[in-house]
Amino acid sequence: MTKAAGDFKLVQPPVLSRSTVARDEPLRLDVERQKAGWPNARVVVVDEKGRTPVEWTTPPPSAFREGDAAAWDAATGTGARLKTRAARDVADAPPADAVVLGEEDGVAYWAMRGGPDLVAGDDPSEWTDLRAVGAELDALGAGLLTGAVAVLNWHDAARFCSRDGSPTVPHNAGWARRCTAEQHEEYPRTDPAIICLVHDGADQVLLARQPVWPQGRYSVLAGFVEAGESLEACVVREVGEEVGLDVTDIRYLGSQGWPFPRSLMVGFHALADPSQPLRPADGEIEEAIWVTRAEVREAMEKGDWAAQPEPGQRLVLLPGSISIARSMLESWAAQG
């Protein structure tokens, strides 16, 4: 098959899609196996703000610029590791509100709500959230924390049955909730959203800015998939609604969980004609612009939080490395 004009692939996986932990459904159903493995298990403790303790094996960059692409490594991150707790120090057996995340190298990993244990010597300053540290974590930590934040967020929002309104209780090691009235079961919700890099098949990419974003901050287009809608149809609809463009040659790139609170970002790229007038959606898109590959590369070289344009140049600030949008833009910019 010949390569279509402007076709490309992701040069590295989106940072929150990296994971080495094996999700083990049989373990979720095997209470005796859970108990047997608990003494050697580890627990990811996440507070209500989504923070967990992190250890830096190498110092973070000056001013901790999120996901500095020049320093990031797909396998190891830049040197941040989750500080998990020994399960035996948490409880004698898996608590009812604990969620089993999976296993790696024979060790089971669980997630629980909690906070710094000052009696045990926890340092509150080590606690940070997924947005801040996700791009710096190794693959194990990124997978564990993404899963932990997603499923714990769901538990917080699913305390009552959607069918009869009765209280629900955790079931299947945290991967279901069962209502107390009729034993209805509900499972963690994931809301699919498309994110699409629109380009001209040559040297230009479309970037857009929401009204609430700072001046100069741009990203690619995204939107939630509606009920009964295919992913490709959503790409066509969202691009048309947000900037008034017609797109063709829609191609899948990759995906990553986005647990803020429960999305799955499904990435595509598509072609559009730069001569077609742009019509930014009122209230949703403040500005939409076509940007050259050279401008995108220059913006990446300046770092995620560069804030001053060169004389005579427009300011283009790109999304941080935790976002799949950054992976998509980096991959497009690497072509040619």
Side-chain angles (χ1 to χ4, degrees):
M1 179 181 294
T2 59
K3 184 176 180 180
D7 194 17
F8 67 96
K9 304 294 183 183
L10 295 183
V11 296
Q12 60 190 15
V15 296
L16 296 189
S17 71
R18 300 171 298 131
S19 180
T20 57
V21 67
R23 296 186 177 222
D24 189 342
E25 185 174 10
L27 176 59
R28 301 172 188 174
L29 308 177
D30 192 335
V31 176
E32 293 306 314
R33 185 177 156 205
Q34 294 166 19
K35 292 179 179 178
W38 183 256
N40 295 319
R42 306 293 301 181
V43 178
V44 180
V45 180
V46 183
D47 71 11
E48 293 183 352
K49 295 183 178 180
R51 298 174 301 190
T52 195
V54 169
E55 174 186 18
W56 291 93
T57 56
T58 59
S62 176
F64 188 16
R65 295 194 308 179
E66 176 198 338
D68 190 334
W72 184 76
D73 179 272
T76 63
T78 58
R81 305 287 184 271
L82 293 186
K83 294 185 70 172
T84 58
R85 291 182 185 172
R88 60 181 177 273
D89 294 337
V90 174
D92 294 332
D97 59 350
V99 179
V100 66
L101 299 173
E103 292 183 310
E104 181 174 90
D105 295 333
V107 176
Y109 287 88
W110 295 72
M112 290 180 60
R113 282 284 187 228
D117 186 343
L118 300 182
V119 175
D122 284 354
D123 182 354
S125 68
E126 294 180 336
W127 288 61
T128 189
D129 64 19
L130 185 61
R131 287 183 185 273
V133 79
E136 320 300 332
L137 290 169
D138 60 358
L140 173 63
L144 288 173
L145 188 54
T146 302
V149 170
V151 73
L152 292 175
N153 282 345
W154 171 72
H155 278 286
D156 291 345
R159 298 187 183 278
F160 296 92
C161 180
S162 63
R163 296 174 65 178
D164 60 37
S166 67
T168 60
V169 294
H171 188 57
N172 289 352
W175 286 94
R177 291 187 73 92
R178 180 175 285 176
C179 80
T180 55
E182 298 292 340
Q183 303 299 298
H184 298 140
E185 287 192 358
E186 298 189 2
Y187 302 91
R189 281 277 307 276
T190 297
D191 296 336
I194 62 91
I195 182 166
C196 185
L197 185 148
V198 178
H199 61 110
D200 66 350
D203 193 46
Q204 295 186 90
V205 65
L206 182 73
L207 298 179
R209 183 168 68 85
Q210 295 182 15
V212 296
W213 290 358
Q215 190 69 32
R217 172 70 67 182
Y218 297 95
S219 188
V220 297
L221 300 174
F224 284 105
V225 181
E226 293 187 345
E229 185 176 44
S230 72
L231 297 172
E232 293 82 359
C234 184
V235 169
V236 173
R237 177 181 58 79
E238 283 290 343
V239 175
E241 288 178 353
E242 293 194 349
V243 294
L245 290 183
D246 302 316
V247 294
T248 61
D249 201 22
I250 300 167
R251 303 209 172 200
Y252 175 74
L253 283 173
S255 66
Q256 77 169 15
W258 191 249
F260 307 112
R262 60 188 187 197
S263 298
L264 172 69
M265 305 302 298
V266 186
F268 294 89
H269 71 94
L271 296 179
D273 184 355
S275 67
Q276 186 177 0
L278 291 169
R279 299 190 303 273
D282 186 37
E284 291 190 35
I285 303 296
E286 180 73 14
E287 181 185 14
I289 58 174
W290 286 96
V291 178
T292 67
R293 201 181 312 270
E295 286 181 280
V296 172
R297 289 172 176 171
E298 184 176 359
M300 290 176 177
E301 289 175 0
K302 291 180 179 178
D304 293 352
W305 301 108
Q308 296 298 323
E310 298 295 330
Q313 293 183 332
R314 62 184 170 188
L315 180 63
V316 176
L317 306 178
L318 301 178
S321 296
I322 188 177
S323 169
I324 187 175
R326 182 57 175 256
S327 299
M328 295 163 68
L329 284 166
E330 288 179 346
S331 300
W332 177 81
Q335 307 304 305

